[in-house]
Amino acid sequence: MTKKHRNGEIWEFEREMSDGTGGGAGAGDVILGIDGGTTSTICVCVPFLQPHSLHLADPLPVLARVEAGCSNHNSVGETAAKETLEQVMAEALSKAGSNRSAVRAVCLSVSGVNHPTDQQRILNWLRDIFPSHVKLYVRNDAVAALASGTMGRLRGCVLIAGTGTIAYGFTDDGREARAAGAGPVFGDWGSGYGISAQALTAIIRAHDGRGPQTKLTNSILQILGLSSPDELIGWTYADTSWARIAALVPIVVSCAEAGDEVANNILQDSVKELALSVNAVVRRLELCGSDGKDSFPLVMVGGVLEGNKGWGIAEEVINCISKDYPGVVPVWPKVEPAIGAALLAWNFLKDSRRE
Amino acid sequence: MTKKHRNGEIWEFEREMSDGTGGGAGAGDVILGIDGGTTSTICVCVPFLQPHSLHLADPLPVLARVEAGCSNHNSVGETAAKETLEQVMAEALSKAGSNRSAVRAVCLSVSGVNHPTDQQRILNWLRDIFPSHVKLYVRNDAVAALASGTMGRLRGCVLIAGTGTIAYGFTDDGREARAAGAGPVFGDWGSGYGISAQALTAIIRAHDGRGPQTKLTNSILQILGLSSPDELIGWTYADTSWARIAALVPIVVSCAEAGDEVANNILQDSVKELALSVNAVVRRLELCGSDGKDSFPLVMVGGVLEGNKGWGIAEEVINCISKDYPGVVPVWPKVEPAIGAALLAWNFLKDSRRE
């Protein structure tokens, strides 16, 4: 039985293409890799290469790249998340001059996938969009982030600290473990959201007499164009999207660099929390071997771990981890997580052929 | 210029009443007191008594009492909050066999009023609903809670710890100060929401290896009918209304009573946070006099401060405060905050006549 896949307005472009639903296996085949985060969603369309030619293709050629907003269903709701995901996939195929029949595999790595039921729900939804020959993979966004640093090999640990944070690890024999990544209600203090929420809290505490004065007050009020800490409350609840709050991180970093103790303590706490997440994963998976000294890659991803030159959050996190696990080898990915997702799809395809 | 007040469907009942828009000053005049919280909203309609007869009326006779859901605009949005508030006022008048023309004053004490602009926005909205002779007062819900323990006198401090938490104080000469009350994004760890969110966090940390094991895991999963901590994440974000999360407090208390150290530490932290809020208000207002030893009333309100017999959160908070301020006199209100709001309206009316 061939079930017709979904044809909403979003897929109109396919009809306008010369070969219609044609395509099939051939030189024009493609893979879609999607990195769905809480702040942004990126979809890349890459050519499907035969195994012998992949190693020659470095960097992987990208036929199309499309960017959109949040696709974490826990943050924006399921309907909005799905719309964003379907839109980026359609646009990437359209820009690549391709269509769904030419797709060999889709790897959707998206934040908010915390349980097999989340995975299954998204797989069922994807199944309705694509023809039945397309291989579909749904993973937590941390998995693509890891793959972006290991060129598709699932071994080692990744630490993401962007709007949210998660540590995720894999062993060569296929075991996996994660820590944190459950979003704002569950702490996640090392994340961009966590750092910013603590800064907002510190301002209110300084204002009402529960905590020490801090440079954060003037810096954050000024950037938001507000005149008093009381107005911060209204500003915050007017739109509690996690990314909007997390965007305050650079101000916290610059206050810490300017010597503000409150801001400095917030960043120190965040370092401890991030290192704790990685250590929990490394310990459970014994990534460091039985003597605790084996080397393992730690892929570092996300805005919190990038670009602060003075107060180096990433460096502090690595220092903190290497006290317990001296074999930690930080890896700064050369490609973005969406490419990691495409590499994963390619590896999954290869493995499924072997089976 | 007499502006016609609003007549939506909600006010239909007034037309069906025999005297229509009649009424005016007289024996049938009433006062509306509203306590608008994050979990529930209560409106009472009480008779407007002449000053000389008020003291004779103990307890204050209540003509009607109506209850509804959340009216904190930061939690459910402004439209829903206003609908709830208008509904309870209309229902209370209808049940009392009264109407808007018989209203002398409305005191709306509602959570989420954090800034003069919040107050003004709600006042403008109320102004459209009631005839121009009606006196209108909008305050933070903490003010009515204080009044419920002091029979309408604004002096001393109130500590609310329900779904949210706030400490709010007044001096006899009209100065006021508050601490906390800014909602989940800003910490408020002593609140019901804060206690529950920390319990949820502790479960995830135990599960992923970042924290110690705790009885909270089985207790909370069982009550929610979930089979694993990973499912908790989906449960939490399916509906993040603050009251739904805060409803887990009794489980945290029973785990602490059963000797669970993680639960115990969460409650200890909450005690420290609640005491810190009160102390900040007392210090700023010098409620304890210049020698720090004067007595002052501390009105205790909210689910977190009631009804736990084994692990007494309220008792611990008072012990903690009395180390710094031995003059603290805890007051357990005999009437509910909505009655406090009505008493406030009556006092405001009395004061405005004197002026």
Side-chain angles (χ1 to χ4, degrees):
Chain A
M1 191 185 88
T2 311
K3 194 176 145 220
K4 189 83 186 105
H5 51 271
R6 189 161 67 201
N7 280 309
E9 206 172 294
I10 218 167
W11 298 103
E12 271 301 305
F13 74 91
E14 289 182 339
R15 285 213 252 167
E16 293 156 19
M17 288 170 64
S18 54
D19 57 347
T21 55
D29 284 2
V30 297
I31 282 175
L32 291 179
I34 300 112
D35 170 38
T38 307
T39 305
S40 65
T41 299
I42 290 160
C43 178
V44 294
C45 178
V46 301
F48 173 72
L49 300 170
Q50 294 304 319
H52 61 269
S53 57
L54 184 73
H55 291 288
L56 302 175
D58 180 19
L60 203 64
V62 176
L63 302 173
R65 180 183 185 280
V66 174
E67 196 164 343
C70 172
S71 55
N72 181 337
H73 62 92
N74 285 335
S75 174
V76 292
E78 195 151 315
T79 309
K82 283 178 175 170
E83 252 178 49
T84 299
L85 291 169
E86 190 166 357
Q87 191 77 48
V88 290
M89 293 188 293
E91 271 185 45
L93 282 172
S94 168
K95 273 178 84 172
S98 187
N99 62 39
R100 284 178 286 177
S101 301
V103 175
R104 295 290 285 264
V106 177
C107 179
L108 177 53
S109 271
V110 61
S111 62
V113 170
N114 297 309
H115 190 266
T117 56
D118 298 325
Q119 201 172 16
Q120 196 54 53
R121 212 173 51 240
I122 298 173
L123 264 177
N124 292 343
W125 168 75
L126 272 183
R127 194 70 281 164
D128 275 352
I129 294 176
F130 287 93
S132 57
H133 74 270
V134 181
K135 298 280 183 189
L136 303 173
Y137 309 99
V138 173
R139 295 289 185 277
N140 186 285
D141 61 335
V143 185
L146 175 59
S148 74
T150 59
M151 291 309 278
R153 184 179 171 204
L154 288 183
R155 195 245 160 191
C157 187
V158 63
L159 174 63
I160 304 185
T163 294
T165 181
I166 190 169
Y168 213 117
F170 283 87
T171 59
D172 278 326
D173 57 358
R175 286 175 300 129
E176 56 187 277
R178 56 175 275 187
V185 179
F186 297 85
D188 279 5
W189 298 119
S191 68
Y193 180 94
I195 291 170
S196 299
Q198 283 176 97
L200 293 172
T201 302
I203 293 172
I204 298 296
R205 290 173 88 96
H207 179 60
D208 67 23
R210 285 179 295 158
Q213 294 303 312
T214 162
K215 287 185 204 293
L216 288 165
T217 304
N218 283 340
S219 304
I220 289 184
L221 290 182
Q222 200 185 338
I223 215 124
L224 300 179
L226 303 176
S227 56
S228 89
D230 287 331
E231 288 180 29
L232 255 189
I233 306 174
W235 177 85
T236 299
Y237 294 108
D239 170 6
T240 53
S241 84
W242 303 344
R244 176 172 172 265
I245 307 285
L248 301 172
V249 169
I251 311 174
V252 185
V253 172
S254 65
C255 286
E257 285 171 356
D260 185 70
E261 201 167 338
V262 172
N264 192 59
N265 288 342
I266 290 172
L267 296 186
Q268 293 287 8
D269 283 349
S270 125
V271 165
K272 274 184 221 152
E273 287 289 318
L274 295 173
L276 184 66
S277 295
V278 171
N279 285 357
V281 167
V282 172
R283 190 172 57 247
R284 277 162 63 202
L285 296 179
E286 285 195 322
L287 286 179
C288 49
S290 50
D291 66 347
K293 290 180 180 165
D294 286 8
S295 77
F296 63 92
L298 175 64
V299 178
M300 309 281 280
V301 173
V304 170
L305 303 175
E306 291 160 8
N308 25 68
K309 279 167 194 163
W311 213 111
I313 298 177
E315 289 69 28
E316 294 289 323
V317 170
I318 292 161
N319 286 343
C320 196
I321 294 167
S322 59
K323 281 177 202 155
D324 292 309
Y325 302 115
V328 60
V329 179
V331 176
W332 307 89
K334 292 187 196 116
V335 297
E336 62 181 347
I339 300 284
L343 289 167
L344 270 180
W346 191 84
N347 278 351
F348 288 146
L349 270 182
K350 206 174 56 176
D351 292 347
S352 71
R353 265 192 235 161
R354 279 203 205 117
E355 278 156 17
Chain B
M1 191 186 88
T2 311
K3 195 177 144 217
K4 188 84 187 104
H5 50 270
R6 188 161 67 201
N7 280 309
E9 206 172 294
I10 218 166
W11 299 102
E12 271 301 304
F13 73 92
E14 288 181 338
R15 286 214 251 167
E16 293 156 20
M17 288 169 63
S18 57
D19 58 348
T21 54
D29 285 2
V30 297
I31 282 176
L32 291 179
I34 300 112
D35 170 39
T38 307
T39 304
S40 64
T41 299
I42 290 159
C43 177
V44 294
C45 179
V46 301
F48 173 72
L49 300 170
Q50 294 304 319
H52 61 269
S53 57
L54 184 74
H55 292 287
L56 303 174
D58 180 19
L60 205 63
V62 176
L63 302 173
R65 180 184 186 279
V66 174
E67 197 166 341
C70 173
S71 55
N72 181 337
H73 61 91
N74 286 334
S75 174
V76 293
E78 195 151 316
T79 310
K82 284 177 175 171
E83 251 177 50
T84 299
L85 291 169
E86 191 167 359
Q87 191 77 49
V88 290
M89 293 188 293
E91 271 184 46
L93 282 172
S94 168
K95 273 178 84 172
S98 187
N99 63 40
R100 285 178 284 177
S101 301
V103 175
R104 295 291 283 265
V106 177
C107 178
L108 177 52
S109 271
V110 61
S111 61
V113 170
N114 298 308
H115 190 265
T117 56
D118 297 325
Q119 200 173 17
Q120 196 55 52
R121 213 173 50 240
I122 298 173
L123 264 177
N124 292 344
W125 167 77
L126 271 184
R127 194 70 281 164
D128 274 352
I129 294 177
F130 287 92
S132 56
H133 73 271
V134 180
K135 299 281 183 188
L136 304 173
Y137 309 99
V138 172
R139 294 290 186 277
N140 187 284
D141 61 334
V143 185
L146 175 59
S148 73
T150 60
M151 290 309 278
R153 185 180 170 204
L154 288 183
R155 195 245 159 192
C157 186
V158 64
L159 173 64
I160 303 184
T163 293
T165 181
I166 191 169
Y168 213 117
F170 283 88
T171 59
D172 277 326
D173 58 358
R175 287 176 299 128
E176 56 186 277
R178 54 174 275 184
V185 179
F186 298 85
D188 278 6
W189 299 120
S191 67
Y193 180 94
I195 291 170
S196 299
Q198 284 177 95
L200 293 172
T201 301
I203 292 172
I204 297 297
R205 290 173 87 97
H207 179 60
D208 67 22
R210 285 179 295 158
Q213 293 303 312
T214 161
K215 287 184 206 291
L216 288 165
T217 304
N218 283 339
S219 304
I220 288 184
L221 290 181
Q222 200 184 338
I223 215 124
L224 299 179
L226 303 175
S227 56
S228 87
D230 288 331
E231 287 180 30
L232 254 189
I233 305 174
W235 177 85
T236 299
Y237 294 108
D239 170 6
T240 52
S241 84
W242 305 343
R244 176 171 170 264
I245 307 285
L248 300 173
V249 169
I251 310 174
V252 185
V253 173
S254 65
C255 285
E257 286 172 356
D260 185 70
E261 200 167 339
V262 172
N264 192 58
N265 288 342
I266 290 172
L267 296 186
Q268 293 287 8
D269 284 350
S270 126
V271 165
K272 274 184 221 151
E273 287 290 319
L274 295 173
L276 184 67
S277 295
V278 172
N279 285 357
V281 167
V282 172
R283 189 172 57 247
R284 278 162 64 202
L285 296 178
E286 286 194 323
L287 287 178
C288 49
S290 50
D291 67 347
K293 290 181 181 166
D294 285 9
S295 77
F296 63 92
L298 175 64
V299 178
M300 309 281 280
V301 173
V304 170
L305 303 175
E306 291 160 7
N308 26 68
K309 280 167 192 163
W311 214 111
I313 298 177
E315 288 69 28
E316 294 288 323
V317 170
I318 292 161
N319 285 343
C320 195
I321 294 167
S322 59
K323 281 176 201 154
D324 291 310
Y325 301 116
V328 60
V329 179
V331 176
W332 307 89
K334 292 188 195 114
V335 298
E336 62 181 347
I339 300 284
L343 289 167
L344 270 179
W346 192 84
N347 279 351
F348 289 145
L349 270 182
K350 207 173 56 178
D351 293 347
S352 71
R353 264 191 235 162
R354 278 203 205 116
E355 277 156 17

